[in-house]
Amino acid sequence: MMLYPSIDTLTDKVPSKYSLVMLQAKRAHELEAGATATKNFTSVKSTLNALEEIEAGTVTIHPEPEAKREAERIEKALERIAKEEEERKIKAQIAKEKEEEGKRI
């Protein structure tokens, strides 16, 4: 039986019990995957750690989830483009070095 944080304080932070469960589950998965914690925990389990973060107000529901998803997609696309550009520069440098080495011989 869970006594802390109480369901009453948690439902003050989140509009519905369904939203609370979804937020807790997502945050617990993030913590399990190695996400940085926003506070020191008294609990051991990631599910209770997520509830502690929600109760502290350090983890909240994004007001516009579609905007958040779109921002994440854009960020991933920019990272991919940056990696491709870096690879292109490395390949160009290798080709240039091979060309210079061929001239020396």
Side-chain angles (χ1 to χ4, degrees):
M1 183 162 129
M2 185 182 80
L3 299 176
Y4 178 79
S6 74
I7 190 71
D8 296 327
T9 59
L10 292 168
T11 52
D12 289 342
K13 306 283 183 179
V14 181
S16 70
K17 290 179 183 179
Y18 174 78
S19 298
L20 174 64
V21 170
M22 294 305 296
L23 181 59
Q24 176 203 14
K26 287 180 180 183
R27 183 61 183 156
H29 283 290
E30 289 174 355
L31 291 171
E32 286 288 324
T36 306
T38 59
K39 62 175 276 186
N40 293 328
F41 301 114
T42 58
S43 304
V44 176
K45 295 182 178 181
S46 62
T47 53
L48 295 177
N49 293 344
L51 288 176
E52 286 184 34
E53 288 183 332
I54 294 166
E55 194 265 337
T58 57
V59 175
T60 59
I61 295 175
H62 197 280
E64 296 180 32
E66 281 302 317
K68 180 181 178 185
R69 286 187 202 106
E70 184 61 28
E72 288 173 351
R73 279 187 223 118
I74 291 170
E75 184 179 329
K76 287 179 183 178
L78 291 174
E79 287 175 3
R80 181 182 48 79
I81 291 169
K83 285 181 184 178
E84 289 173 355
E85 181 64 28
E86 185 66 27
E87 287 177 13
R88 192 172 23 252
K89 287 179 182 178
I90 291 171
K91 287 179 181 179
Q93 181 66 29
I94 291 171
K96 183 179 177 182
E97 289 174 1
K98 284 184 178 180
E99 185 179 306
E100 289 175 359
E101 189 177 301
K103 288 180 181 179
R104 285 189 228 158
I105 297 178

